[in-house]
Structure formats: structure tokens, C-alpha cells
Amino acid sequence: MIRLSALFALLLSMQGAAAAPGDVQRFAATAPANAHLRIHGSTDIEVFAVVIADYQRLHPGTEVVYEDIITQDLHARFLRQRKGAASADLLISSGMDLQAKLVNDGHALAHRSPQTEALPAWAQWRSEAFGISYEPVAMVYNTRTLPAARVPRTRRQLLDLLRAPDAPLRGRVGTYDINRSSVGYLLATQDAQRGSMAGALLGALGDNQVLLEERTGVLLDKVSSGELSLVYNVLGSYAQARIDDGEPLGIVEPQDYTLVMLRTALIPRNARNSAEARRFLDYLLSPRGQQVLSREARLMPIVRGGAGRNGSPERNLRPIQLGPGLLVYLDALKRRQFLDAWNSSMRPARQPASMQGRRGPAAAAAAD
């Protein structure tokens, strides 16, 4: 297959700076236009461009407009604009819980096809929300600043490293700020449900003056530069793409358990171009679409991704299941209580003011 990613990297470099979240890119039809599709997604335009380009090879008469929006804003904007001219035909988000809420609140169309039927049961809900890629959640470290012998392979080992007398991670560890990152909030609540040491780990991160950021790309910038030695609970695919490009990073999928998040697609009930959205969704879940997601966009495919013959997850992987369980921590009272407890453990006020909310030079590198 032609390396479309290299082509689009060249095109983007010719255009200037990389696209930032909130940017809109129009992919003109390569034949007389006979269909239109508007996508709101939390995956970078730079990443998803290769997918759209391949789709247009199959359907050259389709014009696609893609808007890059961070997960929380994607959800909020849909609720504000769902009847407007710029409303989306397809929502693709790493905010599984927010997508599940849209389904629960009656905002999604049902879609059934051979492609959706091939998904494991845990990767779809009510035939309205569908996982399109498989995203292991990892620890990422700098291979130059953290010796191999000290790299933690489990959360217990991470806790021990955070408590080590020589404090190798003090001021050099980071994670998502769950007050600003909906993905971070989802992962933190999943940890709380799965691990008895979640509270101790949060306290140790706070004691080490953890750096809190909203976006995956910013955290990875800081690890790659050596400003941080390790980041916890970040999306593995972005780190792997950087490793493939030669950055000094290593990935650890924790051996005790590795959460797996799904990039989730749904078709809004009032989509203007729902037929085209259905066709694009089926393409994403087809063998060809999954191959492009894997080889070109470098996202792990959902169809048989990390799963055994019966669609059950392998090894230590713990997929976050699409379904009503995701709604629990979206309850306003539970969310407030969880955030209060998390903030108390992390003690962000202990960070130097100059470090809080700082953004790296490539803050737009990852929309999630």
C-alpha cells in the first residue's frame, strides 16, 4: 500500500504549521461531487487525513469536511449546534463516556450492517455507538533519562519508584489533568473501579509534584524533550507513532492490567447526510478501513484488535466496555465528589505557578 501518511505529511509541511484543535479542513471531491460528509472528531486532522484520502479513492464524488475538536468540546458543541448548518453527520471521539451519554439521551441513529455485526459485543452499544479503533492506555518514559532497570512494569512498581528515597520522579512525572481532560477523567474513574491502590498512587503522584496537562501531545512533548521522565495513563498509539519517528520514548502496558479505550463513532439522529455517514462508518470497520487505520494512521484496529478468537480480550488487557456503566461517573454529584477527592490527592497547588497549564511547542500534536 502506498504510504499515504508520508504524502500528507509533505502536504501539511507545505501548508505551514500543523492543524490545531478546532481547525476545519475540507477534502474536496476528486470527481464531480455527489455526496457530502461532515465529521467532528477528536483524532488529529493529520492522522485522520490518510483515512479520508483512502475513502475518497473508493468514493471520489464525496466531499468531506473534518473538524478537529477536543473530546469535551466536541460533546458540548454537538448539544449546542445539533440543529445548525455546521452540525455533524458523524461524531468520532475518544470520550467513550460522553458518546455513551449521547446514545442514552436519544441523540444517535441505529445502524446495522455486516461490518457492525463483526464487532465484539463490548465494542458497541445498542447498535448506535461503535468502537473503530483499540487504544491501550500506557506509561510512557524517556529512554535516556530513566534507566531500563528502574522502568516500572506494574502500578505497584510505579508506586515504589515514586516513593524511592532518591525521588527520581520528583517534578519529572506527568499525567492528564482530569479537570480539563475528559479522557483523563474517564481513565481515572476506571482506575478507581479496578485497582485497590489507585488512591495511594494518586497521593504519591501528588507528593512528587506531578505535572498535569490536558492533552496527550503536550505530555509526550515533555517526555521526549527530557523535561519529564515518565507519564502515566496516556494513549499508547500517539507514543508509538513518535517512537516510529525516532523519538527516545518507551511504552509500558502495565502487567497488572492495561486499560483499553475505544475511539467511538456515532451517527447523530438529525444528521443531514446520514446515508453517507453510514457508508463511511462501514468503511472504517471494513478490512480495508481497519488496515488503513493500522498501517497509515497508526491506530490499532478494533476488529480482532488485541482479542482472541471469540472476541475476548487477551493477556492483561481490560477494554472499557461501551454501555450504561460509563454513565455512572457522569452524574453531577458523583463527578463533583470524584474531582474533589482527586484534586485533594494530587494537590496541584503545590506545583510552581509557571508549570501549571503550560503547553509544549507542539500542543496541537494530539487532539485527545
Side-chain angles (χ1 to χ4, degrees):
M1 181 178 291
I2 296 172
R3 294 291 295 183
L4 292 173
S5 54
L7 172 61
F8 272 87
L10 175 62
L11 290 174
L12 287 164
S13 68
M14 293 170 63
Q15 292 173 2
D23 280 358
V24 181
Q25 187 161 332
R26 175 178 172 269
F27 298 83
T30 57
N34 55 29
H36 300 271
L37 178 67
R38 176 176 285 270
I39 303 170
H40 288 179
S42 66
T43 306
D44 295 350
I45 289 176
E46 290 87 346
V47 172
F48 219 70
V50 296
V51 181
I52 294 170
D54 188 64
Y55 180 75
Q56 289 181 317
R57 288 176 140 192
L58 299 174
H59 306 287
T62 299
E63 177 187 74
V64 180
V65 176
Y66 186 92
E67 185 161 1
D68 179 1
I69 313 172
I70 60 176
T71 52
Q72 199 157 310
D73 289 351
L74 185 151
H75 177 82
R77 283 186 54 183
F78 169 76
L79 293 177
R80 290 197 308 268
Q81 300 178 349
R82 62 186 184 272
K83 295 181 180 180
S87 59
D89 301 309
L90 189 66
L91 302 178
I92 301 176
S93 174
S94 53
M96 295 175 61
D97 49 351
L98 298 178
Q99 296 282 76
K101 181 166 176 56
L102 291 180
V103 169
N104 186 71
D105 292 349
H107 294 302
L109 283 176
H111 177 59
R112 296 176 180 85
S113 69
Q115 289 78 19
T116 63
E117 294 300 320
L119 286 171
W122 45 265
Q124 61 173 305
W125 186 36
R126 298 197 332 197
S127 297
E128 295 178 14
F130 309 93
I132 64 164
S133 71
Y134 198 77
E135 188 75 64
V137 179
M139 293 184 274
V140 179
Y141 63 95
N142 185 299
T143 57
R144 296 172 180 166
T145 63
L146 189 61
R150 303 199 78 173
V151 173
R153 303 294 170 183
T154 65
R155 287 170 179 80
R156 168 59 64 185
Q157 291 177 7
L158 174 60
L159 182 60
D160 291 343
L161 187 63
L162 289 166
R163 290 175 170 174
D166 60 334
L169 295 183
R170 184 175 298 278
R172 300 184 60 81
V173 63
T175 193
Y176 290 119
D177 181 351
I178 72 169
N179 299 281
R180 297 181 290 156
S181 168
S182 59
V183 171
Y185 180 78
L186 170 64
L187 299 178
T189 57
Q190 291 292 314
D191 267 348
Q193 294 176 72
R194 282 174 166 80
S196 59
M197 70 171 58
L201 188 56
L202 291 180
L205 287 167
D207 290 341
N208 278 267
Q209 299 174 355
V210 62
L211 178 66
L212 304 176
E213 289 287 359
E214 182 180 9
R215 310 271 293 285
T216 309
V218 182
L219 289 166
L220 294 180
D221 286 341
K222 294 180 184 297
V223 181
S224 185
S225 70
E227 181 178 341
L228 297 178
S229 291
L230 182 144
V231 290
Y232 174 69
N233 257 16
V234 296
L235 305 185
S237 64
Y238 286 118
Q240 186 59 56
R242 289 171 177 246
I243 291 171
D244 293 344
D245 290 337
E247 296 189 25
L249 301 175
I251 299 174
V252 173
E253 294 182 4
Q255 294 172 0
D256 45 339
Y257 68 88
T258 297
L259 290 173
V260 177
M261 191 183 68
L262 305 178
R263 292 181 189 274
T264 306
L266 65 82
I267 303 170
R269 181 169 292 279
N270 55 3
R272 296 188 175 192
N273 303 294
S274 60
E276 192 62 30
R278 293 175 193 275
R279 188 164 71 169
F280 187 81
L281 177 57
D282 283 344
Y283 159 78
L284 290 175
L285 297 177
S286 71
R288 176 168 175 157
Q290 291 284 287
Q291 185 179 63
V292 171
L293 281 169
S294 175
R295 292 187 180 180
E296 306 299 333
R298 293 186 281 192
L299 300 174
M300 187 176 289
I302 183 62
V303 179
R304 294 191 303 277
R309 291 183 180 180
N310 298 320
S312 58
E314 291 180 345
R315 305 190 320 273
N316 57 321
L317 301 180
R318 300 291 184 271
I320 303 172
Q321 183 167 353
L322 271 173
L326 291 172
L327 305 177
V328 173
Y329 281 94
L330 294 181
D331 173 80
L333 178 59
K334 285 187 179 293
R335 178 179 171 85
R336 184 70 265 153
Q337 291 173 337
F338 189 86
L339 286 174
D340 287 346
W342 189 91
N343 286 321
S344 177
S345 295
M346 293 301 228
R347 291 190 289 275
R350 292 181 57 179
Q351 291 181 277
S354 61
M355 292 181 67
Q356 292 188 26
R358 286 171 57 188
R359 294 184 121 47
D368 294 313

